[in-house]
Amino acid sequence: MAEWTLINTENWPRYEHFRHFMEDSPCNVWLTDDIDVTSIHSACNKSGRSFYIAMLYTVSRVINSHDEFKLRAVDSPKFERLMPAVWDRVDPVHNVFHEESKTYTSTFTVYDHDFEVFYRHCAEDIERARRLKTMSVPAGENTFEASCIPWRHFTSVGASIESIPLSPIVTWGKFAECDGRLMMPLSIQINHAAADGFHLARFLCEVEALSATLAEEI
């Protein structure tokens, strides 16, 4: 079971940013860019692996590498205001598309640093969701949203949300060939209290780099 730990706000450099964007100026921030997925796509084809699951693992591993993507706000009578805390692990909630009905079932996969373990569990979760007619499978609080729009190569994507989550919303789309490389749009959206442009740019860079590293291992 995932656990969370309160952040010591006196020693947390981001506390004023967190408080400002939680209380004074609530808003979200997002960034979309193409990343090179040539190596990981080729490796998945050669090994018979699912490119989708490989990308979901890569995204989940980078998300779990940084505390700003694992935040939660603790509302308690013990505190005068919302207090920041960090989960020890966050799991991806992802959608399984039903071709016949053109709907989806939202499921989740428990994150594991071991690619083989994550891959096996994710494949099982997808197969289970394919047999369901419900919109979603109940998930815990320690989650972030990940989805794929494989039908289009986009330059921007976002969602209008009244209650902006501290957890990220990650979306990727259809890859396109450019100068012999496969380029895929990847987007991340999050509450500005949790992260800034620097963190989002680092996320995109690290997903691209990790996908190339993973390609050598599968």
Side-chain angles (χ1 to χ4, degrees), residues 50-57 94-96 122 126 146-148 172:
S50 164
F51 174 72
Y52 171 80
I53 297 180
M55 286 308 307
L56 185 62
Y57 167 79
H94 51 105
N95 302 327
V96 177
C122 187
I126 290 173
S147 62
C148 177
W172 62 93

Side-chain angles (χ1 to χ4, degrees), residues 1-76:
M1 180 179 294
E3 298 180 350
W4 52 266
T5 304
L6 281 174
I7 294 175
N8 184 343
T9 56
E10 294 184 0
N11 299 326
W12 191 37
R14 188 168 181 81
Y15 178 62
E16 284 304 314
H17 301 73
F18 175 86
R19 190 207 60 76
H20 173 72
F21 288 114
M22 287 295 288
E23 300 176 4
D24 302 333
S25 184
C27 64
N28 60 5
V29 59
W30 66 89
L31 184 64
T32 304
D33 199 2
D34 282 346
I35 65 169
D36 189 337
V37 295
T38 308
S39 299
I40 189 67
H41 184 265
S42 176
C44 287
N45 279 347
K46 291 178 180 178
S47 65
R49 301 278 192 170
S50 164
F51 174 72
Y52 171 80
I53 297 180
M55 286 308 307
L56 185 62
Y57 167 79
T58 304
V59 165
S60 300
R61 181 166 162 178
V62 174
I63 290 291
N64 275 278
S65 297
H66 298 289
D67 285 351
E68 64 265 18
F69 297 138
K70 299 187 292 181
L71 295 179
R72 67 163 294 174
V74 178
D75 188 4
S76 170

Side-chain angles (χ1 to χ4, degrees), residues 27-158:
C27 64
N28 60 5
V29 59
W30 66 89
L31 184 64
T32 304
D33 199 2
D34 282 346
I35 65 169
D36 189 337
V37 295
T38 308
S39 299
I40 189 67
H41 184 265
S42 176
C44 287
N45 279 347
K46 291 178 180 178
S47 65
R49 301 278 192 170
S50 164
F51 174 72
Y52 171 80
I53 297 180
M55 286 308 307
L56 185 62
Y57 167 79
T58 304
V59 165
S60 300
R61 181 166 162 178
V62 174
I63 290 291
N64 275 278
S65 297
H66 298 289
D67 285 351
E68 64 265 18
F69 297 138
K70 299 187 292 181
L71 295 179
R72 67 163 294 174
V74 178
D75 188 4
S76 170
K78 295 187 297 183
F79 309 120
E80 295 181 359
R81 50 169 49 104
L82 291 174
M83 292 294 291
V86 60
W87 290 105
D88 60 353
R89 184 197 80 237
V90 288
D91 305 323
V93 169
H94 51 105
N95 302 327
V96 177
F97 186 68
H98 300 302
E99 185 63 41
E100 292 184 1
S101 63
K102 302 298 186 290
T103 60
Y104 66 88
T105 294
S106 179
T107 187
F108 74 98
T109 298
V110 174
Y111 171 71
D112 196 292
H113 186 79
D114 187 308
F115 173 70
E116 297 296 339
V117 173
F118 180 89
Y119 189 98
R120 182 174 67 255
H121 290 170
C122 187
E124 293 171 354
D125 295 332
I126 290 173
E127 285 304 312
R128 190 178 303 111
R130 281 176 177 160
R131 298 191 296 268
L132 298 176
K133 303 300 182 182
T134 56
M135 181 176 174
S136 62
V137 174
E141 294 182 81
N142 60 311
T143 58
F144 72 94
E145 293 187 32
S147 62
C148 177
I149 306 175
W151 307 280
R152 293 290 299 186
H153 185 280
F154 55 78
T155 56
S156 181
V157 66

